[in-house]
Amino acid sequence: MRSWRTLLARTTATLAAAITVASMGALAAPGAAHADASVVGGTRATLGEFPWMVRLSMGCGGALYSSTLVLTAAHCVSSTGTNTSITATLGVVDLNSTSKITRKSNYVYRAPGYTGSGKDWAFIRLASPVTGVATLPIAKTTAYDTGTFTIAGWGAATEGGAQQRYLLKATVPFVSDTTCNSSSMYNGEIIASNEICAGYTAGGTDTCQGDSGGPMFRRDSANAWVQVGIVSWGDGCARPNKPGVYTQVSYFAATIAAAATTLGG
């Protein structure tokens, strides 16, 4: 069974407890537990370092694709259609900052044919545009689907831990489909055509619960950031031989671009 890296799969009671813990702990004053920890195994991001990072109120991450669209994971949303319940927060690394930008959603578009395995991408359309904030382009070919990637998010810094107040970052290496699907890792569970793995054999650095939908990205040939993955699932967080599994953005690039055009983004 896939372990999605979001709070959505938990019960309402568990979600409420996680939010309470977050508000009392990781989202409390600087110096609280895990305040200087990472996604799992990294460091705190600096203001403006990844301006297109988005925190979504249902407990997921995302990336600003255009002034009105946030690219996230399909498993973070329930269906395609009108939705005014989601709040997107961006423009800050500290979720308690008074300078944060917030926007409500007005529509959700979930990848056509998504059934819980593969095709794990979606758009959140914002009710009003975000101006003055950089967007994150997506990879349109497989040219950047290897090497070392950057991950970031406000998710747990330890498996089963609380959500974070500060944006945390780390780097992870590409893991080939063959290796990721080996018996010592995911034993054939990876959909090689449209999922990509990244992480260390020894574990220790990874995305975690609450990071779902956030981007995995790297520099392109012009030294600009480009999104190559969307945080999707994994077996626990930062376990040995269990790298993170990400939606392979390049595989869906044309479909994502067409959906964005339809949505006015």
Side-chain angles (χ1 to χ4, degrees), residues 123-243:
F123 273 127
I124 308 293
R125 191 173 68 190
L126 306 177
S128 61
V130 176
T131 58
V133 176
T135 56
L136 180 61
I138 62 172
K140 297 180 180 178
T141 73
T142 59
Y144 304 113
D145 291 349
T146 188
T148 300
F149 308 121
T150 298
I151 51 176
W154 287 272
T158 56
E159 186 174 328
Q163 306 301 286
Q164 299 297 294
R165 168 178 173 174
Y166 297 98
L167 180 64
L168 309 170
K169 65 177 181 177
T171 57
V172 286
F174 168 73
V175 177
S176 72
D177 292 336
T178 300
T179 301
C180 204
N181 258 334
S182 66
S183 58
S184 63
M185 289 193 176
Y186 286 109
N187 199 28
E189 292 183 73
I190 306 302
I191 304 172
S193 64
N194 63 76
E195 293 182 326
I196 183 171
C197 298
Y200 295 93
T201 301
T205 304
D206 198 4
T207 48
C208 201
Q209 278 69 49
D211 289 320
S212 276
M216 180 171 73
F217 45 98
R218 55 159 288 177
R219 298 285 187 176
D220 65 11
S221 58
N223 202 38
W225 290 115
V226 62
Q227 183 172 356
V228 298
I230 299 170
V231 180
S232 185
W233 65 282
D235 187 353
C237 304
R239 297 180 184 179
N241 291 310
K242 297 297 180 183

Side-chain angles (χ1 to χ4, degrees), residues 20-33 35 94 96 163-166:
T20 299
V21 169
S23 65
M24 295 175 65
L27 297 185
D94 177 359
N96 285 0
Q163 306 301 286
Q164 299 297 294
R165 168 178 173 174
Y166 297 98

Side-chain angles (χ1 to χ4, degrees), residues 7-216:
L7 297 178
L8 287 181
R10 302 181 182 184
T11 64
T12 302
T14 304
L15 175 57
I19 292 172
T20 299
V21 169
S23 65
M24 295 175 65
L27 297 185
H34 305 307
D36 289 305
S38 181
V39 176
V40 173
T43 57
R44 190 186 297 181
T46 58
L47 183 63
E49 189 173 7
F50 311 124
W52 19 259
M53 287 296 300
V54 179
R55 181 65 174 169
L56 298 169
S57 57
M58 80 285 275
C60 281
L64 193 64
Y65 176 91
S66 72
S67 63
T68 57
L69 294 175
V70 175
L71 184 61
T72 187
H75 75 265
C76 286
V77 298
S78 58
S79 61
T80 294
T82 300
N83 187 319
T84 60
S85 68
I86 301 168
T87 299
T89 301
L90 62 163
V92 294
V93 294
D94 177 359
L95 293 179
N96 285 0
S97 172
T98 56
S99 62
K100 64 187 177 185
I101 299 168
T102 60
R103 292 289 188 276
K104 298 294 289 187
S105 62
N106 65 12
Y107 195 84
V108 166
Y109 180 91
R110 192 163 71 168
Y114 173 74
T115 58
S117 181
K119 301 180 180 178
D120 194 11
W121 66 270
F123 273 127
I124 308 293
R125 191 173 68 190
L126 306 177
S128 61
V130 176
T131 58
V133 176
T135 56
L136 180 61
I138 62 172
K140 297 180 180 178
T141 73
T142 59
Y144 304 113
D145 291 349
T146 188
T148 300
F149 308 121
T150 298
I151 51 176
W154 287 272
T158 56
E159 186 174 328
Q163 306 301 286
Q164 299 297 294
R165 168 178 173 174
Y166 297 98
L167 180 64
L168 309 170
K169 65 177 181 177
T171 57
V172 286
F174 168 73
V175 177
S176 72
D177 292 336
T178 300
T179 301
C180 204
N181 258 334
S182 66
S183 58
S184 63
M185 289 193 176
Y186 286 109
N187 199 28
E189 292 183 73
I190 306 302
I191 304 172
S193 64
N194 63 76
E195 293 182 326
I196 183 171
C197 298
Y200 295 93
T201 301
T205 304
D206 198 4
T207 48
C208 201
Q209 278 69 49
D211 289 320
S212 276
M216 180 171 73

